[in-house]
Amino acid sequence: MTSPAFPALIPPGSTIGILGGGQLGRMTALAAARLGYSTHVFCPELDSPAAQVCTAITNADYTDEAALARFADAVDVVTLEFENIPLFPVEFLAARKPMRPGPKALATGQDRVSEKTFFNGFAETAPWRAVTTLPELEAAVAAIGTPAVLKTARMGYDGKGQVKIMPGDDLAAAWASLRTDNAILEGFVTFTKEISVIVARSPQGQTAAYCPVENVHTNHVLDTTTAPAPISDALTAEAMRIAGTAAAELDLVGLLAVEMFVTADGRVLVNEMAPRPHNSGHWTMDACLTDQFEQLVRAVCGLPLGSPERRCDAVMKNLLGDDIQNWPELLANPQAKLHLYGKAEARPGRKMGHVNFLKG
C-alpha cells in the first residue's frame, strides 16, 4: 500500500500518538505537554510509566487491528519510544497518519544483518557474518576468529539474546542456546571508548545533532554517560558525520541514536542504532538548550528544531533497582538533577530513573 501524502506541520493543540509506554514515552509526553500537545499512548501494559502522564491510553496488543484503527483516528501523528515491536503496526499506521520515524528506519534497526549492511555503505563496523545454521556459525568463527559474540539478529537488547564465544567453546551448544535460525556473529573490537551521537531530523530535512558522549556499560546495561566525550575534534566530526548520513539515508523523521566504538588506532566503528530517544541522551534534559525529548516532538511535528547546544557539561547515571533508594541524598545535592520513572517495583537491573550531575 502506498502511504498518502501528509502535511509536514502538526501544530500545537494536536495529539501525538506514541507506540510504547516506557520511560522514554513518559518523558516524551512531558515534553509534548510543554509545547501544547496532547499525547495518546498505545501499549499492552496496564500501568506503564507513560500512562501516568499522557492524555489518553489504548491498552492492546500491537497487532490488534481494530485497536490500531481507533488509535489512528484519535491522533494526528505517531512516533515510537522503543523499536522492539512488530513492523506491522508501524506499516498499518503509516498508511493512515504521519508515522515518524517510518517503517524503513524501524525495519533497518530491528535486524542486525540489515543494520550492519546499511552502515557498511558509509562507515566501518566490527567484522561480522550472518549465521542461520550451525555449519554457517562454524565457518563464521573460522573466518572472524575468537573471541566473538553470537547474537540473535532480531529483538535483542541490554545484553539479551547473545552469547560470547571464546577459543575452544562448544559451538553447537552456543548455537542451541540462542534458539533461533537468524543470527549474526560479530568479532571482538579492541576499543578505547564507547560513544554515541543523537541526531534529529525534521520532515523538511533540517538536522540538529548533539555532541558525542562517552558511555560506560556494566553487565551490558548503560551505567554512565559523560558529555562531551573526551575525544579529538577529528573523531567528533567523524562520529557526527556517520550519524547525520544515517539519518539522511534512512529519510528519518524523528531522532536517531548511533552507538559507536573508538579504536586505539583512531577509527570510529558503528555498533548499532536506535530510531528513538536514547538512554545516552538523558543528560540533555538538564544540560542542553533543547533536550532530546523536546527535540523529538519538534521533529515529528515539523516544528523548527531547537538548539542542541550544551549549557554545561554533565554526567548521567542510571538508577537501577535499589539505586532508587538514594533519592534523598541525590535531591540534597545541588549539582544533581533527579528523574524518576514512576515504576512501582524495583528489580535488579531495572531502570528506575536517572540522575544528571551538572558540571560548572
Side-chain angles (χ1 to χ4, degrees):
M1 178 184 297
T2 301
S3 297
F6 296 113
L9 177 64
I10 309 295
S14 303
T15 298
I16 301 171
I18 303 173
L19 292 178
Q23 63 264 19
L24 301 179
R26 177 191 182 94
M27 291 181 275
T28 300
L30 292 171
R34 295 197 303 268
L35 291 178
Y37 291 90
S38 298
T39 49
H40 187 151
V41 168
F42 189 109
C43 68
E45 298 81 17
L46 293 177
D47 185 25
S48 67
Q52 299 169 10
V53 300
C54 67
T55 312
I57 184 165
T58 295
N59 290 125
D61 187 86
Y62 289 116
T63 59
D64 185 332
E65 289 193 36
L68 287 168
R70 292 192 299 271
F71 176 71
D73 288 341
V75 302
D76 299 293
V77 64
V78 185
T79 190
L80 50 86
E81 65 109 40
F82 82 127
E83 69 274 25
N84 282 335
I85 60 175
L87 188 59
F88 168 75
V90 175
E91 294 176 331
F92 183 94
L93 292 168
R96 292 159 175 80
K97 289 292 168 74
M99 180 73 227
R100 298 169 177 170
K104 180 179 179 180
L106 185 67
T108 303
Q110 277 189 341
D111 186 279
R112 286 190 170 99
V113 173
S114 297
E115 185 179 58
K116 299 290 187 188
T117 302
F118 168 71
F119 276 107
N120 283 155
F122 54 88
E124 289 187 80
T125 62
W128 63 275
R129 295 288 189 281
V131 176
T132 61
T133 64
L134 177 57
E136 286 185 359
L137 173 59
E138 292 168 342
V141 169
I144 292 176
T146 54
V149 182
L150 180 65
K151 301 179 180 180
T152 57
R154 300 179 62 82
M155 306 304 281
Y157 65 98
D158 284 351
K160 299 176 177 66
Q162 62 180 260
V163 58
K164 183 186 294 186
I165 296 180
M166 301 298 291
D169 279 356
D170 184 339
L171 298 185
W175 178 245
S177 71
L178 284 192
R179 299 180 180 180
T180 183
D181 60 358
N182 185 16
I184 184 172
L185 185 75
E186 296 180 7
F188 261 40
V189 173
T190 301
F191 60 88
T192 59
K193 291 179 177 63
E194 292 183 75
I195 64 172
S196 59
V197 172
I198 295 173
V199 60
R201 186 173 181 272
S202 74
Q204 300 89 344
Q206 181 189 7
T207 61
Y210 296 96
C211 68
V213 296
E214 180 179 8
N215 302 314
V216 176
H217 292 79
T218 301
N219 297 323
H220 303 289
V221 178
L222 182 63
D223 182 17
T224 62
T225 293
T226 299
I231 58 176
S232 69
D233 290 346
L235 289 173
T236 293
E238 175 63 1
M240 296 182 76
R241 179 196 71 82
I242 290 169
T245 300
E249 290 293 321
L250 290 168
D251 195 22
L252 177 127
V253 175
L255 290 189
L256 182 70
V258 183
E259 297 181 71
M260 296 167 260
F261 300 116
V262 176
T263 66
D265 59 356
R267 293 178 296 145
V268 176
L269 306 182
V270 175
N271 180 26
E272 60 186 16
M273 72 174 191
R276 54 163 172 78
H278 197 259
N279 199 166
S280 70
H282 290 353
W283 67 278
T284 65
M285 296 175 73
D286 302 298
C288 287
L289 295 179
T290 308
D291 69 69
Q292 68 164 342
F293 299 101
E294 179 181 326
Q295 198 75 291
L296 174 64
V297 173
R298 287 171 174 255
V300 302
C301 292
L303 306 179
L305 297 182
S307 169
E309 182 182 346
R310 293 194 315 280
R311 304 176 192 266
C312 61
D313 296 348
V315 174
M316 185 283 301
K317 180 169 177 58
N318 272 328
L319 300 177
L320 305 180
D322 288 339
D323 290 347
I324 194 177
Q325 301 304 327
N326 297 329
W327 64 264
E329 62 190 72
L330 293 171
L331 286 175
N333 182 345
Q335 299 302 115
K337 298 289 287 184
L338 180 64
H339 301 266
L340 301 180
Y341 303 154
K343 296 180 180 179
E345 181 184 1
R347 298 193 297 268
R350 191 183 195 196
K351 295 173 182 175
M352 303 299 294
H354 70 270
V355 58
N356 290 328
F357 295 99
L358 306 182
K359 307 294 184 179

